[in-house]
Amino acid sequence: MPLNKQYWEDRYKNNSTGWDLGIISTPIKEYVNQLENKNSKILIPGAGNAHEATYLVKNGFKNIFILDIALSPLKFAKQRSKLPEEHLIQQDFFDHKGSYDLIIEQTFFCALEPRFRESYVKKIHMLLRDQGCLIGVLFNFENNLSSPPFGGSINEYLNLFEPYFEIVTMEPCNNSVIERQGKEIFIKLKKKK
Ligand SMILES: C[S@@+](CC[C@H](N)C(=O)[O-])C[C@H]1O[C@@H](n2cnc3c(N)ncnc32)[C@H](O)[C@@H]1O
């Protein structure tokens, strides 16, 4: 089954959203809590119900954009996060144009078919300003499923990202939510010129 817009809309309509933590993921919460610049332009691609955005807005971040191919989660996120309409983008990530200081990754990379990983890396690189960073979590388990979430390993992620990013952090998470303990890698990757 192609992982297209219809696939994701159906997952939301059928409440088949096992990935949704219902709150911001702890590793991302602890990272954003220590950020001082609340004016950074931030993108959350594949944001889904966008609990990260709701948290960021509540905590004074002023320039958050969320993007998803599916409309249903964006409607939910709009009510919850109180983001202005123009900060909610319904679009295929690979068609998006923009320029951001920070991009937040939370179960979007793992939702893409692995053949799109290199395109994801190049697209994130393109969407970041100089010195911009991709932060967030990637899954840390063998990539043997035929449907999402697709996993991977630090070695695989290093090979993918290193040509385009300085690896500031890429290590197993010590602050995952209980059900994801031992299964997540925290990343902070700075755009190379
Ligand atoms: C596994 S869900 C994660 C949602 C959210 N980040 C979370 O953790 O709750 C993956 C999300 O990516 C979206 N998505 C999948 N392919 C996409 C694409 N090509 N462009 C934009 N969004 C996409 C889906 O609609 C879905 O909301």
Side-chain angles (χ1 to χ4, degrees):
M1 175 180 288
L3 301 180
N4 55 17
K5 182 176 161 192
Q6 191 60 50
Y7 170 87
W8 291 106
E9 282 292 358
D10 289 347
R11 297 280 309 243
Y12 284 100
K13 286 192 178 130
N14 299 331
N15 276 327
S16 173
T17 55
W19 60 78
D20 189 327
L21 294 174
I23 51 168
I24 185 172
S25 134
T26 332
I28 294 173
K29 179 177 175 179
E30 292 187 7
Y31 178 81
V32 298
N33 281 351
Q34 43 86 46
L35 293 178
E36 284 171 8
N37 182 0
K38 303 221 166 173
N39 294 312
S40 296
K41 191 173 175 196
I42 300 175
L43 175 70
I44 309 177
N49 287 329
H51 306 293
E52 284 69 32
T54 301
Y55 181 86
L56 287 162
V57 171
K58 275 195 186 131
N59 285 278
F61 287 85
K62 303 208 163 32
N63 213 0
I64 317 296
F65 292 77
I66 63 175
L67 178 148
D68 206 286
I69 202 165
L71 185 59
S72 312
L74 288 177
K75 283 186 183 162
F76 174 89
K78 186 181 174 197
Q79 285 176 343
R80 289 286 297 274
S81 68
K82 311 269 187 260
L83 281 170
E85 189 79 41
E86 63 276 17
H87 287 221
L88 296 126
I89 306 160
Q90 189 197 1
Q91 191 179 33
D92 188 320
F93 166 71
F94 294 102
D95 294 333
H96 185 57
K97 295 195 171 57
S99 174
Y100 299 91
D101 300 306
L102 186 67
I103 300 182
I104 296 180
E105 169 52 51
Q106 164 66 19
T107 59
F108 172 51
F109 175 88
C110 71
L112 297 170
E113 289 173 60
R115 67 193 167 104
F116 293 121
R117 288 187 169 180
E118 199 174 340
S119 308
Y120 169 98
V121 173
K122 289 181 180 164
K123 187 72 189 179
I124 295 280
H125 183 270
M126 207 180 288
L127 290 172
L128 283 169
R129 294 179 174 153
D130 279 356
Q131 306 291 313
C133 286
L134 172 70
I135 71 100
V137 281
L138 301 177
F139 277 128
N140 189 15
F141 50 71
E142 225 177 300
N143 200 3
N144 55 5
L145 299 176
S146 55
S147 60
F150 301 107
S153 64
I154 287 189
N155 266 350
E156 183 189 343
Y157 300 146
L158 279 177
N159 283 336
L160 262 173
F161 286 99
E162 243 177 350
Y164 301 93
F165 292 87
E166 179 194 328
I167 312 294
V168 182
T169 310
M170 188 180 281
E171 59 193 26
C173 277
N174 56 16
N175 53 1
S176 300
V177 295
I178 291 173
E179 56 271 39
R180 295 197 183 160
Q181 274 173 10
K183 296 185 194 150
E184 288 184 318
I185 292 164
F186 187 79
I187 54 165
K188 178 175 178 183
L189 310 175
K190 189 189 262 190
K191 174 177 173 149
K192 281 182 184 170
K193 284 213 169 165

